[in-house]
Amino acid sequence: MSTTPETAVLRPHAEDVYAEELAALRAADHDRPKPPNWHLSPWATVTYLLGGKLDNGFEIEPKYIGQRRLMEIAVATLATDRALLLLGVPGTAKSWVSEHLTAAISGRSDLLVQGTAGTSEDAIRYSWNYARLIAEGPSLGALVPSPLFKGMQEGRLVRLEELTRIPSDVQDTLITMLSEKVLPIPELSTEVQAVSGFNVIATANDRDKGVNELSSALRRRFNTVVLPLPTSAEEEVRIVQTRVEKQGKALQLPVEAPALEQISRLVTIFRELRSGVTENGKTKLKSPSGTLSTGEAISVMNSGLALAAYFGDGTLRAHDLAAGLTGAVLKDPVQDRTVWLEYLETVVKERDGWKDLYRACREVVE
């Protein structure tokens, strides 16, 4: 089906958005060694993630802004028989990196299992078309393959989101698939053997409470890469600025790109409240219950841009930012309100050029 601006896909797959870059990398990648069934070499995959200029002058846009070594370790892991676990607090680009790794290596990123408390073994292994099962009995035609089943058959990467939210007994279904690279189908007295190129990229949040810990047997099947929060304010500002501009175009918001000053103020607030101290190190602060991640900063900025576009003059101002900012901080309406009000009075109010943001946030919180 063709798409018009009115029916355009809201969130295209990475391989569709960056098809030109992937094609340019494939063309430049002909003389580098590739693991079996990989579309790009490890070098080209890391270049796709971190950005760079090819020999012909073609510019590759950075998808991940951070330590190069982390991406090299992640890519090298996927070239072995170990699966990859991306671990970190919410908003550290785990899912984003997972999608782009899969798009670069397998050419498609659509094999996805979303982990929840209700995820069953069927979602990991396979299920049945019960109409055909009743009519024909157990057969390959009556079997409904899971994304992992397809990944093993086709030699592709499979994304498994929020691994620790899946019940422990269901998690352990992965052990044979990851260690023996085989999926038994006892109903048909057969099995699926994984084709070269198959592997799993799982993500997990290390800050959630009440999740299901991985068994030691399953943990051994993964190589874990911890994705940290940005190390510097400048790096975090760059990430927020890049992603907000990209998403603003995708959402077709009729608004100017946010001023760097507004992004810097938001990032400064998030970093200070996360660390429990002001950027000059002179004032200790209480931290709220939320994570205040880079991902949340991007969401706050996008919310402010939408307010400015549809209920303002198209320019992001303090009062557009205040509602989303306050909502991000006040996860616990009692404890976090006290923390936020104290921060507004002792830090925001006293900063030169921040009076507009102080007044706007006070209006929202009151």
Side-chain angles (χ1 to χ4, degrees):
M1 183 182 73
S2 63
T3 61
T4 66
E6 290 76 22
T7 61
V9 174
L10 183 60
R11 173 67 165 75
H13 293 303
E15 60 270 23
D16 298 324
V17 176
Y18 295 99
E20 186 180 5
E21 289 189 8
L22 291 167
L25 281 163
R26 280 195 295 273
D29 199 30
H30 53 83
D31 59 347
R32 289 183 173 84
K34 298 186 186 109
N37 254 353
W38 281 37
H39 284 229
L40 296 178
S41 70
W43 168 86
T45 300
V46 172
T47 301
Y48 170 72
L49 282 163
L50 297 178
K53 182 181 286 190
L54 303 183
D55 290 342
N56 62 3
F58 190 94
E59 289 276 359
I60 303 297
E61 176 186 317
K63 320 300 179 303
Y64 176 76
I65 298 172
Q67 300 175 42
R68 181 182 184 86
R69 195 59 175 169
L70 290 178
M71 295 301 101
E72 291 175 343
I73 293 169
V75 171
T77 295
L78 294 170
T80 71
D81 63 349
R82 298 278 300 279
L84 173 65
L85 175 60
L86 299 176
L87 188 67
V89 300
T92 47
K94 299 182 297 296
S95 298
W96 178 257
V97 169
S98 171
E99 180 183 359
H100 284 286
L101 280 170
T102 308
I105 292 171
S106 292
R108 290 164 57 196
S109 60
D110 56 343
L111 293 182
L112 170 67
V113 177
Q114 179 62 57
T116 69
T119 300
S120 66
E121 281 195 24
D122 290 353
I124 303 295
R125 300 172 72 241
Y126 53 84
S127 58
W128 298 95
N129 179 327
Y130 287 102
R132 293 191 65 173
L133 186 64
I134 292 170
E136 304 171 7
S139 67
L140 284 174
L143 186 147
V144 180
S146 70
L148 280 148
F149 189 117
K150 291 180 180 178
M152 295 180 80
Q153 279 187 320
E154 300 169 12
R156 293 167 54 195
L157 292 182
V158 182
R159 299 159 56 206
L160 208 168
E161 293 289 311
E162 302 292 355
L163 176 60
T164 51
R165 291 194 171 276
I166 298 175
S168 299
D169 56 332
V170 179
Q171 288 178 9
D172 286 343
T173 306
L174 289 165
I175 292 175
T176 301
M177 301 171 77
L178 295 181
S179 59
E180 304 300 324
K181 301 296 187 280
V182 66
L183 172 57
I185 310 176
E187 297 91 339
L188 302 179
S189 300
T190 187
E191 63 185 16
V192 175
Q193 291 182 302
V195 174
S196 294
F198 165 73
N199 213 330
V200 172
I201 306 177
T203 65
N205 172 7
D206 65 0
R207 288 285 292 272
D208 276 348
K209 298 176 182 177
V211 296
N212 305 293
E213 289 295 327
L214 303 183
S215 67
S216 58
L218 183 56
R219 192 175 287 276
R220 286 197 304 273
R221 271 66 183 184
F222 284 97
N223 188 29
T224 301
V225 172
V226 178
L227 296 186
L229 289 163
T231 54
S232 68
E234 292 76 15
E235 184 179 282
E236 191 160 3
V237 166
R238 184 183 169 202
I239 293 169
V240 174
Q241 183 180 30
T242 302
R243 291 290 304 279
V244 166
E245 288 180 0
K246 198 86 176 173
Q247 290 183 9
K249 290 177 183 176
L251 295 171
Q252 300 181 30
L253 291 175
V255 64
E256 298 175 6
L260 195 59
E261 176 195 3
Q262 298 287 14
I263 297 176
S264 296
R265 292 202 292 187
L266 176 62
V267 166
T268 297
I269 290 169
F270 271 35
R271 292 181 70 84
E272 289 183 333
L273 287 173
R274 279 200 310 253
S275 64
V277 64
T278 53
E279 60 182 357
N280 60 13
K282 293 182 178 179
T283 305
K284 290 193 174 182
L285 306 166
K286 295 175 184 174
S287 294
S289 58
T291 56
L292 297 179
S293 66
T294 309
E296 286 180 286
I298 293 166
S299 296
V300 169
M301 194 61 64
N302 281 332
S303 175
L305 286 173
L307 285 170
Y310 299 117
F311 303 102
D313 61 4
T315 299
L316 182 71
R317 304 187 190 282
H319 66 277
D320 301 313
L321 205 57
L325 173 55
T326 302
V329 176
L330 298 188
K331 294 295 191 290
D332 182 310
V334 178
Q335 174 188 329
D336 293 342
R337 187 175 189 276
T338 302
V339 171
W340 184 226
L341 285 172
E342 184 176 313
Y343 179 77
L344 288 174
E345 293 300 325
T346 59
V347 179
V348 177
K349 185 178 180 181
E350 302 303 319
R351 279 207 170 118
D352 292 339
W354 283 42
K355 289 292 192 298
D356 58 335
L357 186 59
Y358 166 76
R359 288 191 295 267
C361 290
R362 285 294 313 212
E363 286 177 9
V364 172
V365 81
E366 290 174 357

